[in-house]
């Protein structure tokens, strides 16, 4: 059941931790978020994914405070490279910034090393060899065991891999976000790189997580995402209703079917769905050994895909920070 990630066999069902501190409206209280982390570990999750920007460091602090005493039980990944200055968002993968951010992350996480450290976005202002060189120095110092990149194009992944082998590429991948299929998925398979899919449940849309988008708070990132707006959501909801009907027919929950579809895309693929709800976490894990047959996978893949979904995955200002190839 386990799959290889950065030289280590881990459960391909990891936990994306962003929502525990920000991103989807009002986050849970720290004590409740801590219970989710503990429950995940107890349910067999051994891959936790966070980033320095999640909650402006609060997510890393939460993980450190909650799980530091069980550090040898799980694979820990974090990221750097996205910066916020008030309302402004940008990238900074300068070597000095990368190494400074790493030390700050290690302190918050209460650990002396990360199993995997990603460059969260591509920074066109810094030569790739310079950014990767800093990560190599961090590996030589024992602060990280491997490195990865997030939302990078296939060409830039290859360029980084030529400097030092890339362990993992993280990108959005789900039934309704297929950009990785243009070039990144094949590149990862060719080079022996793990592909870590974030938002494999379509930001909750494929897990019965939302029906009325008019109730979204401005602090919820979906509030500004086109697929959830008043024009596109009714059409997308119709697709989701059809998908949910297929899941009911098969006797599984929609989230279980959506996750199984992503994992079927390759033996190097991992998923890191996020949740703030222990019941949802248990639901995600309950059918982790299930492998749907090809006919079912093809059926849902034909129902929800890049051609049938309405609206781009990001608003224009965020899309500018994404290096992954886009459909034309």
């Amino acid at each position: 059941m386990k799959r290889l990630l950065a030289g280590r066999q881990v459960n391909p069902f990891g936990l994306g931790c962003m929502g525990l501190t920000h991103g989807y409206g009002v986050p849970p209280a720290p004590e409740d978020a801590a219970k989710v982390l503990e429950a995940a570990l107890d349910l067999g999750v051994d891959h936790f994914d966070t980033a320095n920007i999640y909650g402006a460091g609060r997510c890393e602090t939460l993980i450190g405070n909650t799980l530091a005493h069980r550090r040898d039980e799980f694979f820990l990944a974090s990221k750097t490279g996205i910066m916020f200055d008030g309302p402004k968002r940008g990238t900074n993968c300068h070597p000095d910034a990368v190494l400074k951010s790493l030390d700050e992350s290690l302190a918050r996480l209460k650990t002396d090393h990360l199993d995997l450290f990603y460059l969260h976005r591509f920074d066109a202002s810094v030569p790739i060899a310079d950014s990767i060189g800093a990560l190599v120095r961090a590996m030589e110092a024992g602060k990280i065991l491997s490195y990865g990149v997030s939302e990078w194009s296939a060409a830039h992944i290859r360029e980084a891999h030529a400097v030092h082998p890339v362990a993992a590429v993280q990108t959005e991948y789900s039934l309704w976000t297929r950009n990785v299929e243009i070039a990144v998925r094949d590149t990862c398979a060719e080079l022996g790189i793990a592909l870590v899919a974030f938002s494999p449940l379509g930001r909750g849309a494929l897990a019965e997580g939302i029906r009325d988008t008019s109730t979204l708070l401005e602090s919820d990132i979906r509030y500004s995402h086109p697929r959830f707006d008043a024009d596109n959501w009714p059409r997308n909801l119709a697709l989701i209703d059809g998908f949910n009907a297929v899941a009911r027919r098969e006797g599984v929950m929609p989230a279980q079917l959506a996750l199984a579809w992503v994992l079927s895309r390759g033996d190097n693929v991992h998923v890191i769905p996020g949740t703030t709800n222990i019941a949802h976490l248990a639901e995600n894990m309950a059918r982790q050994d299930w492998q749907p047959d090809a006919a079912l996978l093809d059926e849902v893949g034909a129902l929800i895909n890049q051609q049938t979904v309405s609206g781009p995955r990001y608003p224009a200002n965020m899309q500018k920070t994404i290096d992954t190839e886009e459909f034309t």
Side-chain angles (χ1 to χ4, degrees):
M1 176 59 197
K2 293 198 172 188
R3 296 184 178 184
L4 191 65
L5 178 59
R8 180 166 163 182
Q9 293 288 331
V10 302
N11 192 325
F13 288 77
L15 181 67
C17 298
M18 183 183 78
L20 294 174
T21 53
H22 94 288
Y24 293 99
V26 180
E31 58 270 23
D32 293 326
K35 291 177 182 177
V36 174
L37 291 173
E38 292 168 338
L41 201 52
D42 291 340
L43 284 166
V45 174
D46 57 4
H47 170 198
F48 292 82
D49 182 273
T50 185
N52 64 328
I53 63 159
Y54 295 167
R58 293 192 302 277
C59 191
E60 291 180 326
T61 299
L62 172 71
I63 293 171
N65 289 343
T66 306
L67 298 181
H69 67 293
R70 301 178 66 178
R71 178 65 182 89
D72 61 347
E73 297 180 41
F74 61 93
F75 182 102
L76 180 59
S78 193
K79 314 179 199 70
T80 190
I82 297 179
M83 63 178 184
F84 287 99
D85 180 12
K88 297 180 181 179
R89 174 188 174 110
T91 56
N92 186 354
C93 292
H94 186 278
D96 291 343
V98 167
L99 295 176
K100 179 176 182 291
S101 176
L102 172 60
D103 286 339
E104 293 168 348
S105 289
L106 291 173
R108 287 190 290 262
L109 288 160
K110 297 184 178 180
T111 185
D112 62 358
H113 75 281
L114 293 173
D115 298 291
L116 175 59
F117 192 47
Y118 294 96
L119 297 179
H120 208 161
R121 291 291 185 270
F122 177 69
D123 186 348
S125 70
V126 180
I128 286 176
D130 290 356
S131 298
I132 305 307
L135 296 172
V136 171
R137 293 196 296 276
M139 282 187 274
E140 292 171 344
K143 294 182 178 181
I144 62 175
L145 303 187
S146 64
Y147 86 93
V149 297
S150 179
E151 292 285 18
W152 280 34
S153 69
H156 290 142
I157 292 167
R158 290 182 181 278
E159 187 175 343
H161 195 75
V163 177
H164 190 279
V166 180
V169 170
Q170 186 172 142
T171 188
E172 185 175 359
Y173 194 17
S174 69
L175 280 160
W176 79 351
T177 297
R178 308 284 192 93
N179 305 72
V180 67
E181 295 177 355
I182 300 172
V184 168
R185 185 182 66 178
D186 290 346
T187 296
C188 289
E190 175 192 336
L191 299 178
I193 299 171
L195 182 60
V196 179
F198 74 82
S199 296
L201 298 176
R203 304 190 183 277
L206 303 176
E208 300 181 299
I210 183 171
R211 294 201 62 84
D212 182 3
T213 60
S214 69
T215 64
L216 291 173
L217 301 174
E218 289 191 41
S219 57
D220 190 315
I221 58 176
R222 295 171 294 186
Y223 180 87
S224 62
H225 283 208
R227 291 180 180 174
F228 296 91
D229 68 23
D231 291 330
N232 292 312
W233 180 246
R235 292 188 289 271
N236 290 330
L237 185 59
L239 295 177
I240 291 163
D241 285 341
F243 175 74
N244 292 349
V246 174
R248 287 194 300 271
R249 185 194 74 203
E250 298 297 321
V252 298
M253 301 301 293
Q256 294 165 348
L257 179 54
L259 292 172
W261 184 90
V262 178
L263 287 173
S264 74
R265 301 302 91 184
D267 292 339
N268 64 325
V269 178
H270 298 249
V271 292
I272 50 170
T275 185
T276 61
N277 184 299
I278 293 176
H280 292 166
L281 174 64
E283 176 184 301
N284 291 346
M285 301 291 290
R287 297 296 298 270
Q288 57 186 298
D289 294 326
W290 178 50
Q291 296 181 341
D293 61 37
L296 175 56
L297 294 170
D298 289 346
E299 179 183 2
V300 295
L303 176 64
I304 301 180
N305 56 61
Q306 200 71 29
Q307 286 70 47
T308 62
V309 71
S310 295
R313 64 173 174 141
Y314 282 125
N317 63 324
M318 289 187 66
Q319 185 58 51
K320 293 176 183 177
T321 71
I322 303 299
D323 189 49
T324 306
E325 293 84 356
E326 290 295 312
F327 289 97
T328 56

